């Protein structure tokens, strides 16, 4: 039985593919395509439903293609302009939190991998130990409000998400793939620790920084729990996710209240409003992924092969 060969040019090198290789690749591409469509399809339904009239949703369910197109749900979300202030606040927290968190986590991970750092094992165990146990919500709330006096402060949202034991351990494993001889060569050339870290180590950590930076950015962008604990009604501008959460709850309360009896139930877009808030909450952060994708893929495989 003769085998048909196909020549594929990859990085300037021609590779001969046998029939079995072609079949496996074709099946793989088909399965990945269907899997990607399965992931995108629910989001497209959310987008389509957000533009659909509430009466149509109640009568016919969610829609991929909007029927009886309307912008009423989005108008309710942006009414008063508070949503744009929340966007600005969340973007600011995300940018500053990601940059500061990456700097602290990268320095910590690098220090814990330095062979000439005598306390690296003890500090590594301490960081790992804190990820196993938690004092609970009540002590945490008292610590933030009574000890640190951070109630009604954006710092109460900023600091808890700045770093985590898991991200430090992840960075430590990334740094482990960098030979210690690079640090030693920098010392021989007369460079200080900060110069070695900035000019030699950081450029080699781009995949790790992109991977951990994505986790940090998603954490700040999706944050609402800390806001619900520490930001009271005295704080005018809330982070985006908590503000959208308030809009949905207030709309549902309006619908269920006595005041709602003067409004036709179909005029209150509760279902389409939920879809609109989901689109406005996830839409912008989705565009971040393509910019870090090439580093992210490289970052998750760093340290996978030993040698």
């Amino acid at each position: 039985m003769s085998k048909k060969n196909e020549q594929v040019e990859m990085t300037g090198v021609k590779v001969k593919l046998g029939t079995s290789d072609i079949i496996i690749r074709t099946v793989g591409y088909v399965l990945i395509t269907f899997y990607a469509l399965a992931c995108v399809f629910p989001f497209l339904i959310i987008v389509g439903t957000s533009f659909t009239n509430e009466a149509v949703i109640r009568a016919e369910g969610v829609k991929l293609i909007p029927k009886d197109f309307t912008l009423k749900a989005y108008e309710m979300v942006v009414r008063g302009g508070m949503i744009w202030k929340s966007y600005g606040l969340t973007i600011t927290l995300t940018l500053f939190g990601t940059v500061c968190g990456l700097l602290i986590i990268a320095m910590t991970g690098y220090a814990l991998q330095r062979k000439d750092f005598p306390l690296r094992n003890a500090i590594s165990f301490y960081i790992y130990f804190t990820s196993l146990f938690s004092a609970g919500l009540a002590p945490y709330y008292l610590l933030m409000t009574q000890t640190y006096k951070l109630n009604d402060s954006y710092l109460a949202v900023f600091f808890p998400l700045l770093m985590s034991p898991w991200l430090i351990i992840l960075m430590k494993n990334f740094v482990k793939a960098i030979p210690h001889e690079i640090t030693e060569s920098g010392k021989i050339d007369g460079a200080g620790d900060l110069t070695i870290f900035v000019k030699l180590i950081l450029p080699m950590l781009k995949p790790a920084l992109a991977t951990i930076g994505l986790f940090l950015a998603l954490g700040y962008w999706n944050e609402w729990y800390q806001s619900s604990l520490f930001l009271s009604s005295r704080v005018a501008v809330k982070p985006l996710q908590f503000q959208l959460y308030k809009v949905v709850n207030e709309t549902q309360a309006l619908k269920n209240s006595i005041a709602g009896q003067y409004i036709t139930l179909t005029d209150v877009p509760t279902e389409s409003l939920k879809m609109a808030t989901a689109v406005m909450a996830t839409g912008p952060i989705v565009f971040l992924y393509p910019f870090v994708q090439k580093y992210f893929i490289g970052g998750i495989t760093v340290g996978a092969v030993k040698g």
Side-chain angles (χ1 to χ4, degrees):
M1 180 178 176
S2 61
K3 294 184 178 181
K4 296 181 180 180
N5 296 328
E6 180 182 296
Q7 290 186 338
V8 179
E9 188 172 346
M10 300 176 60
T11 64
V13 180
K14 292 183 178 180
V15 180
K16 292 184 178 180
L17 298 178
T19 304
S20 60
D21 296 324
I22 297 174
I23 294 175
I24 291 174
R25 289 197 175 195
T26 302
V27 173
Y29 289 147
V30 171
L31 291 177
I32 292 175
T33 301
F34 277 109
Y35 181 76
L37 292 176
C39 294
V40 173
F41 188 70
F43 184 74
L44 295 178
I45 290 180
I46 291 175
V47 175
T49 306
S50 67
F51 292 106
T52 304
N53 188 281
E54 185 74 12
V56 176
I57 298 176
R58 294 183 176 279
E60 304 178 17
V62 297
K63 292 288 182 180
L64 178 62
I65 300 176
K67 184 177 180 181
D68 194 4
F69 185 89
T70 179
L71 295 174
K72 184 177 293 186
Y74 289 93
E75 291 174 356
M76 292 193 67
V77 174
V78 303
R79 183 177 298 170
M82 186 59 67
I83 189 67
W84 306 121
K85 296 180 181 179
S86 296
Y87 259 112
L89 173 62
T90 299
I91 291 174
T92 302
L93 287 173
T94 301
L95 290 177
F96 279 95
T98 301
V99 172
C100 295
L102 278 178
L103 183 60
I104 295 173
I105 292 172
M107 289 191 296
T108 305
Y110 171 64
L112 294 178
Q113 276 303 118
R114 287 278 297 263
K115 294 181 179 180
D116 54 348
F117 181 44
L119 297 178
R120 65 182 187 276
N121 292 330
I123 295 178
S124 296
F125 176 77
Y126 175 77
I127 293 174
Y128 174 71
F129 185 81
T130 60
S131 66
L132 300 178
F133 301 95
S134 173
L137 179 58
Y140 173 65
Y141 182 82
L142 293 175
L143 177 70
M144 297 292 287
T145 57
Q146 302 299 322
T147 304
Y148 296 146
K149 307 295 183 182
L150 292 180
N151 48 312
D152 292 335
S153 172
Y154 294 128
L155 294 178
V157 179
F158 181 80
F159 284 137
L161 301 176
L162 195 59
M163 58 192 301
S164 70
W166 181 75
L167 292 180
I168 294 175
I169 294 172
L170 187 62
M171 178 61 76
K172 178 184 174 183
N173 292 331
F174 280 132
V175 180
K176 188 185 295 184
I178 300 177
H180 183 65
E181 287 73 18
I182 294 178
T183 300
E184 293 178 344
S185 66
K187 286 187 174 182
I188 293 174
D189 292 336
D193 290 332
L194 183 60
T195 303
I196 294 173
F197 175 73
V198 174
K199 294 187 176 181
L200 298 181
I201 303 300
L202 276 184
M204 302 182 68
L205 287 177
K206 286 183 179 179
L209 295 175
T211 303
I212 295 177
L214 182 62
F215 289 140
L216 286 172
L218 288 174
Y220 276 104
W221 187 267
N222 294 325
E223 201 292 312
W224 67 272
Y225 182 67
Q226 307 291 334
S227 303
S228 66
L229 288 177
F230 305 115
L231 300 183
S232 67
S233 58
R234 291 192 294 270
V235 179
V237 182
K238 304 291 197 308
L240 177 64
Q241 304 294 341
F242 187 65
Q243 182 65 29
L244 294 175
Y245 173 77
K246 283 182 58 181
V247 170
V248 173
N249 282 350
E250 289 172 0
T251 304
Q252 188 66 42
L254 172 64
K255 184 176 178 180
N256 296 331
S257 67
I258 298 177
Q261 66 185 339
Y262 301 107
I263 302 175
T264 305
L265 290 181
T266 55
D267 291 339
V268 182
T270 52
E271 299 302 323
S272 57
L273 181 66
K274 295 176 183 177
M275 303 300 179
T277 55
V279 172
M280 297 192 70
T282 60
I285 199 66
V286 168
F287 296 104
L288 175 66
Y289 183 79
F291 295 101
V292 300
Q293 181 180 10
K294 61 178 180 179
Y295 297 115
F296 183 75
I297 294 174
I300 60 179
T301 58
V302 170
V305 179
K306 295 182 178 180

